[in-house]
Amino acid sequence: MMTFKAYRYTTLLTSLPHLPAPFQHQRLPISRVRLEQRLGLLTEEDRGWIERLERLVVPYRLGQFGDDVALLRESQRLLAQLDASGRPHRWLEWWMTLNGMTAALRLRQRGGIAPGTLAELPAVGRQLIRQWSHPLFRLESRLPWLETLATQVGRERAEVLEHALIDIAWAYFSRQRAEHPYGLEDVMLYLYRWWLLERAMPRNAGEARERFTQWVDAIPAQSTDFVPWTRES
């Protein structure tokens, strides 16, 4: 017999429209207002998790990471509260890695001699310290999209880099599957893709380019307050 909570998830997920790939349409298939109405079916606890996740991965964060110590620390706190073997933990860590590698490539391109705060990234931080001078930080076998990302960073065209980031993230989240279908994990996967789709919607190209350039150029060349992060800290 289906529990009331399971009924909530099923009702929510079956009410959400299909999300097309980015850059193909002029409008979102579901507006933020209607999406928020649908999310009202979630429990207060589930909404709390979703709100914390959104503060970390909302579209304007895409490509920005290096100078936002508070963002990195909050990501670490949320990861520490998630089951390390679970898929939500894996997805958030992957998202942090994508943003962190973008920041690392930009930082080094601008003359940074060390990863600084980026050394705190849980999945790749130590490797950044050890292999900072290597073109792809010797991570290309673990991160198959890294070469493509490095190429776009090298071209110094903000709108092209943003497009590449959205495509990389969309491909990743489109391949993921919830361990327990029709539950909170499926809601998270839908939202990851909706946030990316929202970011890909047409907007003033000049403003978008300037805003994105400001985000990625905000990464400092050095960080002097770095303290390595461990799960015990």
Side-chain angles (χ1 to χ4, degrees):
M1 183 176 181
M2 183 181 293
T3 66
F4 182 60
K5 189 171 185 179
Y7 172 78
R8 286 173 183 250
Y9 290 134
T10 303
T11 302
L12 167 60
L13 289 163
T14 55
S15 74
L16 296 173
H18 169 74
L19 296 179
F23 309 110
Q24 294 186 359
H25 299 276
Q26 299 292 312
R27 297 179 60 184
L28 288 165
I30 182 171
S31 68
R32 172 170 284 277
V33 171
R34 290 193 178 277
L35 181 60
E36 288 291 337
Q37 291 173 345
R38 302 289 196 276
L39 294 177
L41 286 167
L42 294 175
T43 65
E44 185 176 344
E45 180 183 9
D46 287 346
R47 283 304 300 267
W49 281 107
I50 293 298
E51 288 169 5
R52 290 185 66 187
L53 184 63
E54 183 171 13
R55 286 198 294 269
L56 296 175
V57 304
V58 284
Y60 72 82
R61 292 292 191 187
L62 192 60
Q64 178 195 21
F65 216 109
D67 68 327
D68 197 337
V69 177
L71 173 64
L72 182 54
R73 299 287 163 78
E74 177 58 26
S75 299
Q76 292 165 349
R77 282 192 288 270
L78 184 54
L79 279 175
Q81 294 174 32
L82 293 169
D83 179 359
S85 63
R87 299 187 185 190
H89 186 285
R90 180 200 309 168
W91 299 333
L92 178 57
E93 186 174 88
W94 186 91
W95 181 271
M96 293 170 64
T97 300
L98 175 65
N99 284 272
M101 297 311 300
T102 306
L105 290 164
R106 292 284 296 176
L107 172 58
R108 194 178 59 189
Q109 183 182 52
R110 295 174 57 198
I113 61 174
T117 305
L118 295 172
E120 295 193 49
L121 287 165
V124 296
R126 292 179 182 177
Q127 185 71 1
L128 291 180
I129 297 172
R130 291 193 295 262
Q131 300 292 342
W132 184 250
S133 61
H134 187 275
L136 298 177
F137 313 106
R138 298 194 186 279
L139 285 166
E140 59 270 28
S141 61
R142 288 171 53 189
L143 309 174
W145 42 263
L146 186 55
E147 185 173 0
T148 298
L149 183 59
T151 298
Q152 300 303 340
V153 169
R155 290 175 178 170
E156 296 189 330
R157 293 183 57 190
E159 69 276 18
V160 177
L161 175 57
E162 182 177 20
H163 197 302
L165 283 164
I166 292 173
D167 281 344
I168 289 169
W170 182 269
Y172 174 80
F173 286 111
S174 295
R175 291 192 303 268
Q176 301 305 303
R177 296 293 181 267
E179 184 175 2
H180 305 290
Y182 286 92
L184 185 58
E185 290 179 2
D186 266 333
V187 176
M188 288 179 175
L189 280 177
Y190 189 93
L191 290 174
Y192 270 114
R193 291 186 295 123
W194 189 89
W195 292 324
L196 289 167
L197 201 60
E198 181 186 43
R199 181 63 195 157
M201 284 295 104
R203 50 178 55 82
N204 182 286
E207 291 181 4
R209 182 167 53 252
E210 180 180 358
R211 182 171 61 250
F212 187 73
T213 302
Q214 289 174 349
W215 292 335
V216 297
D217 282 347
I219 302 166
Q222 280 288 120
S223 177
T224 58
D225 62 349
F226 161 61
V227 176
W229 173 75
T230 63
R231 188 167 294 278
E232 288 76 22
S233 61

